[in-house]
Amino acid sequence: MSSQPSHPALLIPGPIEFDDQVLQSMSHYSESHVGAPFVKTFGETLTMLRKLFQTEDPASQPFVISGSGTLGWDQVAANLAEPGDDVLVLHTGYFADSFADCFETYGVKATQLKAPIGDRPQLDEVEKALKEKKYKLLTVTHVDTSTGVLSEIEALSKLVHKVSPDTLVVVDGVCSVGCEEIQFDKWGIDCVITASQKAIGCPAGLSIVMASGRAIKSFQSRKVPPTSYFGSWKNWMPIMQNYEAGKPSYFATPSPQLVHALHTTLTQITSIPLADRFAAHRKASQKVKKAVADLGLTQLAEKPENQANGMTAIYLPKGMTPPDVLPKLMQRGVVFAGGLHKQIATQYIRFGHMGVSVTDPNRDDIDRAIVALKEGITEAQQAMDASAR
Amino acid sequence: MSSQPSHPALLIPGPIEFDDQVLQSMSHYSESHVGAPFVKTFGETLTMLRKLFQTEDPASQPFVISGSGTLGWDQVAANLAEPGDDVLVLHTGYFADSFADCFETYGVKATQLKAPIGDRPQLDEVEKALKEKKYKLLTVTHVDTSTGVLSEIEALSKLVHKVSPDTLVVVDGVCSVGCEEIQFDKWGIDCVITASQKAIGCPAGLSIVMASGRAIKSFQSRKVPPTSYFGSWKNWMPIMQNYEAGKPSYFATPSPQLVHALHTTLTQITSIPLADRFAAHRKASQKVKKAVADLGLTQLAEKPENQANGMTAIYLPKGMTPPDVLPKLMQRGVVFAGGLHKQIATQYIRFGHMGVSVTDPNRDDIDRAIVALKEGITEAQQAMDASAR
């Protein structure tokens, strides 16, 4: 039984539902950010992130900074690129446009390779683009939260290493880390940025980044200093290294409570094989996708290989909009999200299935949501039919 | 009685001890960041900040962004200054050096006006500096956490308006908002940056900013776009305005739990007259300063008018270092901080007296700390005398 007060199950693509212990860690009594107990907690947290990302290379560098997933973009744009550099942004939805905006803010030239809505750029298109210009880095959104499109990180990374070996491979894993497989070392990824509040299962407020030894080398050989202060790895890298080595260190005050919550969820996540965690998300996702198909509905991501395992973006029946359905789901105790992709925002809803809602056998969030979705859509359809009479 | 587990009283200059209700708000169950309940909570929080800063001008604009006090510097440097601008940084300790670094990161030319350690730049020196060059803005650290030096914001602001009326008055209020008087409108301040974890009494993780209508106008008439993405007011201003107007809005995911905690503490703070709160801090500070003097110790801030009301930076007896004393305080259940000002870090300790430790009549943190300080110093002195024999 959860010790949380009764509340609707939050099944949007983040923030997600949180485990009781994780939420209790948020109430940890006040500690000095440079005192031995917290230094230990923060250090262990950074070390557990290495496990989560499946990196054993000691040159890999984790960062945990108060902020949000978006701050990860600033970190990439301000530390791994320099003003005037060209970068290639693979577009699978809203978040690529924003990442490109972020690069432009820092004087970095972003070229977007766009796929039709619900699809992802194909490998041959990416290869062609990489051969046309020298790119400092390529970014790919692992799961675009606006479309539910999954990108193929392993194949992409291999392609980049083959075709343009100096180009860094940067993954926006905000909606994937913790629910989609990421083998940081084996796949040759240079940087993954993510956030605390999605499949990692910690409340929002932390920007989480893993950089490879190659990325750190590239950062260290910059011609100009980092172009952000709060997001500067020059400022943060010694701090992260000191915390992980058990030494107090100060640049800006971290959030002890959020770091405690992250420590708790990472302890839980790394206590079972990661493969089991990913399998649980795949299984729940298949159940959701089957239910959606059984209702006669389609997904933005049409092709099965394009479909994320932690969320589903569902087209509504023709003429139905999110405000027709979402309140009916809320009445049934589940919260879905509306559309986010500007061109089609009124035509679809998003169902997040990540974290404890999927992995905790005592929770029936997903089954209840599937029933609610069926009833809600049926009821909305009946209302539409009645008003059309 | 506190419902928090027994723990040493955290009496460093932030983070501080937290009220039970505030900590409980940190465990709030998961909510959508764009759902009606959270939008209401966030909107009310922004409105309460106007009260805390004593601003009634509707053109004033509050910002609450996941980050830390440091992110406030980025916001100032990236939104209120433009590359090539000159800014005047008044130096009363460590934090002016860092703020100047931050400006330089964004291509802004920072000129520092330095005072000797423990002192602050005098008004006639500031006047002279303002007449020598055209500065886009002047920054002053209201309380420098490294020295405990208090700056005279009202007089400074009047001076700037008289001598250089186009120069914006920017206050680093990280260690002052909530314990030192700030009359935003009446004193003609253009921007105050602060953080959640000091006298505001909310756990760390939020950057809090108040900008005047004049500052916003200056921002809106920039020649080049803001030079930060995550810290860009172009991205955040519509979001803050929408939340305060009760409308959901998205740029980057805020931290619902931290915002709930901020809402709780601001509700408490604004439920009594602010004057009473400031008086309570002055009273506790006088008690601490008297105890320090009674022990024969001196403060970094020698002149009474330079002394902060939320913290005290105390020189140790000659030859004694923080590691000689801090563990003895810890044994007595109180946590002080070591020195932070690089030139003299080993010669002093810092005692924070802010928030519930000062305002909650059920707490005896300050009295216990004064006793612990006396005993700790005496014991350390005895140990030194013994080893000198």
Side-chain angles (χ1 to χ4, degrees):
Chain A
M1 276 294 293
S2 166
S3 64
Q4 297 169 45
S6 169
H7 65 278
L10 188 62
L11 298 170
I12 65 176
I16 65 169
E17 285 289 306
F18 303 121
D19 178 77
D20 289 353
Q21 278 189 18
V22 172
L23 278 185
Q24 283 154 17
S25 300
M26 289 290 285
S27 296
H28 196 286
Y29 61 78
S30 199
E31 280 181 319
S32 167
H33 50 301
V34 290
F38 178 69
V39 170
K40 182 168 180 285
T41 301
F42 201 167
E44 288 172 359
T45 302
L46 293 165
T47 301
M48 283 191 284
L49 282 175
R50 296 178 186 273
K51 277 198 197 174
L52 177 66
F53 285 90
Q54 305 192 50
T55 174
E56 293 181 357
D57 184 343
S60 297
Q61 181 59 54
F63 295 89
V64 173
I65 306 177
S66 283
S68 79
T70 300
L71 180 64
W73 295 343
D74 287 70
Q75 288 184 61
V76 169
N79 293 293
L80 290 181
E82 303 198 38
D85 279 350
D86 280 292
V87 301
L88 183 63
V89 173
L90 306 192
H91 184 289
T92 51
Y94 175 91
F95 289 91
D97 288 324
S98 304
F99 204 165
D101 267 2
C102 178
F103 280 118
E104 300 289 340
T105 297
Y106 290 98
V108 178
K109 291 178 274 177
T111 301
Q112 289 202 53
L113 186 58
K114 295 200 181 195
I117 292 174
D119 210 343
R120 60 192 187 194
Q122 300 302 301
L123 291 177
D124 57 347
E125 299 168 308
V126 178
E127 178 162 0
K128 188 163 163 274
L130 287 172
K131 284 176 174 169
E132 277 169 3
K133 204 185 268 183
K134 176 104 183 156
Y135 291 106
K136 180 65 194 289
L137 56 87
L138 165 146
T139 77
V140 52
T141 316
H142 197 174
V143 171
D144 195 294
T145 318
S146 74
T147 57
V149 168
L150 177 74
S151 292
E152 44 188 339
I153 305 302
E154 184 178 10
L156 268 172
S157 185
K158 276 188 185 156
L159 175 69
V160 175
H161 284 281
K162 191 187 75 183
V163 177
S164 182
D166 291 340
T167 301
L168 299 173
V169 178
V170 175
V171 177
D172 178 340
V174 168
C175 197
S176 74
V177 173
C179 64
E180 304 284 358
E181 176 97 44
I182 295 182
Q183 299 198 25
F184 192 82
D185 288 355
K186 200 173 154 202
W187 295 357
I189 302 170
D190 290 300
C191 186
V192 178
I193 67 112
T194 189
S196 46
Q197 78 278 5
K198 301 201 192 241
I200 290 178
C202 171
L206 297 175
S207 164
I208 298 170
V209 172
M210 183 67 74
S212 70
R214 193 167 85 122
I216 296 296
K217 263 196 196 139
S218 163
F219 162 70
Q220 286 167 334
S221 59
R222 290 176 65 87
K223 287 181 222 81
V224 301
T227 47
S228 165
Y229 185 74
F230 184 66
S232 163
W233 289 355
K234 186 163 152 275
N235 292 329
W236 282 115
M237 202 157 72
I239 308 299
M240 296 297 146
Q241 290 175 344
N242 281 336
Y243 271 112
E244 207 173 353
K247 286 182 255 175
S249 195
Y250 174 74
F251 163 61
T253 309
S255 181
Q257 283 70 17
L258 275 168
V259 172
H260 268 286
L262 181 58
H263 186 275
T264 301
T265 191
L266 289 177
T267 302
Q268 292 172 347
I269 289 174
T270 57
S271 69
I272 61 161
L274 282 174
D276 292 1
R277 183 175 180 84
F278 300 137
H281 281 87
R282 279 195 302 272
K283 194 177 156 195
S285 183
Q286 287 311 312
K287 190 192 261 189
V288 169
K289 272 132 180 124
K290 183 176 179 305
V292 167
D294 288 350
L295 283 171
L297 301 176
T298 58
Q299 298 174 50
L300 269 64
E302 214 174 338
K303 304 175 196 165
E305 70 270 22
N306 284 2
Q307 294 167 357
N309 292 297
M311 64 168 291
T312 308
I314 308 163
Y315 276 120
L316 293 170
K318 210 174 152 63
M320 198 182 288
T321 63
D324 297 326
V325 184
L326 297 182
K328 300 190 196 310
L329 299 182
M330 175 64 99
Q331 284 162 18
R332 290 167 172 84
V334 296
V335 182
F336 281 27
L340 184 60
H341 196 297
K342 279 167 197 162
Q343 283 172 263
I344 52 165
T346 58
Q347 300 172 30
Y348 73 108
I349 56 175
R350 295 174 300 145
F351 177 177
H353 29 84
M354 289 177 258
V356 289
S357 291
V358 166
T359 59
D360 183 346
N362 296 317
R363 284 185 178 254
D364 61 355
D365 298 344
I366 304 302
D367 290 334
R368 282 198 296 126
I370 287 173
V371 171
L373 178 66
K374 186 176 177 175
E375 293 177 359
I377 293 274
T378 306
E379 216 177 80
Q381 189 66 57
Q382 286 166 348
M384 278 171 59
D385 293 348
S387 74
R389 250 180 242 150
Chain B
M1 277 293 292
S2 166
S3 64
Q4 297 169 44
S6 170
H7 66 277
L10 189 61
L11 298 170
I12 65 175
I16 65 169
E17 285 289 307
F18 303 121
D19 178 78
D20 290 353
Q21 278 189 20
V22 172
L23 277 186
Q24 282 154 19
S25 299
M26 289 290 286
S27 295
H28 197 285
Y29 61 77
S30 200
E31 281 180 319
S32 168
H33 51 301
V34 290
F38 178 68
V39 170
K40 181 167 180 286
T41 301
F42 202 166
E44 289 172 357
T45 301
L46 293 166
T47 300
M48 283 191 283
L49 282 175
R50 297 178 185 273
K51 277 197 196 174
L52 177 65
F53 285 90
Q54 306 193 49
T55 174
E56 292 181 358
D57 184 345
S60 297
Q61 181 58 55
F63 295 88
V64 174
I65 307 177
S66 284
S68 78
T70 301
L71 180 64
W73 295 343
D74 287 70
Q75 288 184 61
V76 170
N79 293 294
L80 290 183
E82 303 199 37
D85 278 351
D86 279 293
V87 301
L88 182 63
V89 174
L90 306 192
H91 184 286
T92 50
Y94 175 91
F95 290 91
D97 289 323
S98 304
F99 203 166
D101 267 1
C102 178
F103 280 118
E104 299 289 340
T105 298
Y106 291 97
V108 178
K109 291 179 275 177
T111 301
Q112 289 202 50
L113 187 58
K114 296 201 180 194
I117 292 175
D119 210 343
R120 60 193 188 195
Q122 301 302 302
L123 291 177
D124 56 346
E125 299 168 309
V126 179
E127 178 163 357
K128 185 161 164 276
L130 286 172
K131 284 177 173 165
E132 277 168 4
K133 204 186 268 184
K134 175 106 183 156
Y135 291 106
K136 180 64 195 291
L137 55 86
L138 165 147
T139 77
V140 52
T141 315
H142 196 174
V143 171
D144 195 293
T145 318
S146 74
T147 57
V149 168
L150 177 74
S151 293
E152 44 187 339
I153 305 302
E154 184 178 9
L156 267 172
S157 186
K158 278 189 184 156
L159 176 69
V160 175
H161 284 282
K162 190 187 75 181
V163 178
S164 182
D166 291 341
T167 300
L168 299 173
V169 178
V170 175
V171 177
D172 178 339
V174 167
C175 198
S176 75
V177 173
C179 64
E180 304 284 357
E181 176 98 45
I182 296 182
Q183 298 197 25
F184 193 82
D185 289 355
K186 200 173 156 203
W187 295 357
I189 303 170
D190 290 299
C191 186
V192 178
I193 68 113
T194 190
S196 46
Q197 79 277 5
K198 302 202 192 241
I200 290 178
C202 170
L206 297 175
S207 164
I208 298 170
V209 172
M210 183 67 73
S212 71
R214 193 167 87 121
I216 296 296
K217 263 195 196 139
S218 162
F219 162 69
Q220 285 168 334
S221 60
R222 288 177 67 87
K223 288 179 219 82
V224 301
T227 47
S228 166
Y229 185 74
F230 184 66
S232 163
W233 290 355
K234 185 163 152 275
N235 292 330
W236 281 115
M237 202 157 73
I239 308 299
M240 296 297 145
Q241 291 175 344
N242 281 336
Y243 270 111
E244 207 173 353
K247 286 182 254 174
S249 193
Y250 174 74
F251 162 62
T253 308
S255 181
Q257 282 72 16
L258 275 169
V259 172
H260 268 285
L262 181 58
H263 186 277
T264 301
T265 191
L266 289 177
T267 302
Q268 292 172 348
I269 290 175
T270 58
S271 70
I272 61 162
L274 282 174
D276 293 359
R277 183 175 180 85
F278 299 136
H281 281 86
R282 277 195 303 272
K283 193 178 156 196
S285 183
Q286 287 312 311
K287 190 192 264 188
V288 169
K289 274 135 179 120
K290 181 174 181 308
V292 167
D294 289 349
L295 283 171
L297 302 176
T298 58
Q299 298 175 49
L300 270 64
E302 214 174 339
K303 303 176 195 162
E305 68 271 22
N306 283 1
Q307 294 167 357
N309 292 297
M311 64 169 290
T312 308
I314 308 163
Y315 276 119
L316 292 171
K318 209 173 154 63
M320 198 182 287
T321 63
D324 296 326
V325 183
L326 296 182
K328 298 189 196 310
L329 299 183
M330 174 65 98
Q331 283 163 19
R332 291 167 171 83
V334 297
V335 182
F336 280 28
L340 184 59
H341 196 297
K342 279 167 198 164
Q343 283 172 260
I344 52 164
T346 58
Q347 301 172 29
Y348 73 108
I349 57 175
R350 295 174 299 145
F351 177 177
H353 29 85
M354 290 176 259
V356 289
S357 290
V358 167
T359 60
D360 183 345
N362 296 318
R363 284 186 179 251
D364 60 356
D365 298 344
I366 304 302
D367 291 333
R368 282 199 297 123
I370 287 174
V371 171
L373 179 65
K374 186 175 177 177
E375 294 177 357
I377 293 273
T378 306
E379 216 177 83
Q381 189 66 57
Q382 287 165 347
M384 278 172 58
D385 294 346
S387 74
R389 250 179 243 152

